[in-house]
């Protein structure tokens, strides 16, 4: 928020736009209205960005009113117009954000620690070639069963909140009443409160991690190296090891 004080008569221009459904999620023709309001000398007015506008001045869809954490009104395809779909997309983004943050750390730190000599493990893009205690197909089946069980339980909690708080096998374990997506208990060992600010920060970092994960994949496909190795290569010769030389093949 910014406060500006004027020292002379001025006029406040208030543009209002209603754009196409592709940008706003609602139909309508492009209209622009300008309201002139005289401001007396030495008056002050506040300039404040509204929550729910991913692009300043662009109206948000009516079903995205800024009440959800991380809601900036961005839904150009209108995917979340249905309330049930919106409920699912909220949880899907939350879970994928958390997996992306774990994935980026799991890709980056082993490469860094291996480069500086603390550990010696395969690069993330060669991890599937390593020998483990079981074959790749066996590990895949085990992971599929475990993830299937966890995801079914999570889906049940979305459809009927609180229905899976009690552990079906170990009866002595249960989760306290909680908001969907924020179970707390053993899943929150540091006892962070799920405040609106914390939810906003988690989603912001999760979205950044999803973009970083995609960037790591594309970067390796182009250069054949990991992000840390690419960084070291760039630092060693910043003028000749850039994206321009990479894309030009030099």
């Amino acid at each position: 928020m910014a406060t500006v004080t004027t020292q002379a008569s001025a006029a406040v221009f208030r543009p209002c736009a209603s754009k196409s459904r592709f940008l706003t999620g609602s139909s309508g023709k492009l209209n622009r209205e300008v309201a002139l309001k005289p401001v007396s000398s030495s008056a002050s007015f506040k300039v404040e960005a509204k929550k729910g506008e991913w692009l300043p001045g662009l109206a948000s869809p009516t079903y995205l009113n800024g009440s959800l954490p991380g809601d900036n009104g961005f839904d150009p395809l209108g995917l979340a117009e249905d309330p049930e779909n919106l409920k699912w997309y909220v949880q899907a983004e939350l879970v994928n954000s958390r997996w992306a943050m774990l994935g980026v750390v799991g890709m980056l730190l082993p490469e860094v620690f291996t480069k500086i000599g603390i550990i010696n493990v395969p690069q993330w893009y060669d991890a599937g070639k390593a020998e483990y205690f079981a074959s790749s197909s066996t590990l895949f089946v085990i992971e599929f069963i475990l993830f299937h069980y966890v995801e079914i339980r999570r889906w049940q909690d979305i459809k009927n909140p609180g229905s899976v708080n009690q552990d079906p096998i170990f009866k002595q374990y249960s989760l306290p009443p909680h908001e969907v997506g924020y179970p707390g208990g053993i899943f929150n060992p540091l006892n962070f409160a799920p405040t609106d600010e914390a939810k906003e920060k988690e989603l912001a970092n999760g979205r950044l991690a999803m973009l970083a994960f995609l960037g790591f994949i594309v970067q390796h496909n182009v250069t054949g190296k990991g992000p840390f190795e690419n960084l070291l290569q760039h630092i060693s010769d910043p003028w000749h090891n850039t994206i321009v030389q990479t894309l030009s093949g030099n």
Side-chain angles (χ1 to χ4, degrees):
M1 182 185 297
T3 302
V4 182
T5 303
T6 60
Q7 298 299 329
S9 297
V12 177
F13 292 82
R14 304 183 184 276
C16 301
S18 175
K19 299 179 176 55
S20 66
R21 177 178 175 77
F22 179 79
L23 292 177
T24 66
S26 59
S27 59
K29 297 180 180 179
L30 180 62
N31 297 316
R32 181 171 295 275
E33 299 176 0
V34 178
L36 299 179
K37 181 181 179 181
V39 180
S40 60
S41 178
S42 299
S44 64
F45 62 92
K46 294 181 179 180
V47 180
E48 182 177 7
K50 293 183 179 179
K51 177 177 171 58
E53 293 184 355
W54 67 275
L55 185 64
L58 184 65
S60 302
T62 55
Y63 51 87
L64 296 178
N65 56 15
S67 60
L68 294 171
D71 175 15
N72 296 310
F74 181 77
D75 187 21
L77 300 180
L79 299 176
E81 188 170 6
D82 182 84
E84 289 300 314
N85 289 342
L86 177 59
K87 185 188 302 183
W88 167 249
Y89 286 134
V90 166
Q91 297 302 317
E93 182 184 35
L94 183 59
V95 169
N96 280 281
S97 293
R98 291 167 177 171
W99 278 119
M101 287 187 282
L102 288 173
V104 166
V105 172
M107 296 163 75
L108 188 58
L109 289 187
E111 181 185 357
V112 174
F113 290 156
T114 298
K115 288 293 183 183
I116 62 181
I118 296 179
I119 58 176
N120 184 20
V121 295
Q123 298 283 0
W124 57 269
Y125 46 82
D126 289 329
K129 302 175 184 177
E131 293 293 332
Y132 299 99
F133 64 90
S135 64
S136 298
S137 57
T138 302
L139 291 175
F140 174 78
V141 172
I142 294 174
E143 290 180 5
F144 180 82
I145 294 174
L146 293 177
F147 270 87
H148 180 75
Y149 172 75
V150 171
E151 285 300 297
I152 288 296
R153 299 273 293 177
R154 191 170 67 84
W155 173 253
Q156 290 173 335
D157 192 48
I158 294 174
K159 298 295 289 184
N160 185 15
S163 61
V164 294
N165 286 358
Q166 180 68 50
D167 193 298
I169 301 175
F170 304 98
K171 301 296 184 180
Q172 68 272 26
Y173 296 112
S174 63
L175 292 173
H178 62 274
E179 181 182 352
V180 176
Y182 303 91
I186 61 173
F187 297 102
N188 187 14
L190 299 180
N191 199 29
F192 288 126
T195 61
D196 290 341
E197 181 182 5
K199 294 176 182 178
E200 292 272 357
K201 290 180 177 179
E202 182 183 33
L203 279 175
N205 284 283
R207 290 165 179 172
L208 181 60
M210 287 189 279
L211 290 175
F213 182 87
L214 178 62
F216 288 176
I217 300 295
V218 173
Q219 193 170 357
H220 172 257
N221 287 336
V222 173
T223 67
K225 301 175 183 178
F228 187 63
E229 187 173 357
N230 282 140
L231 176 62
L232 294 178
Q233 183 180 5
H234 171 69
I235 293 176
S236 66
D237 190 359
W239 297 106
H240 298 94
N241 293 324
T242 67
I243 189 174
V244 175
Q245 281 76 22
T246 299
L247 295 179
S248 63
N250 296 332

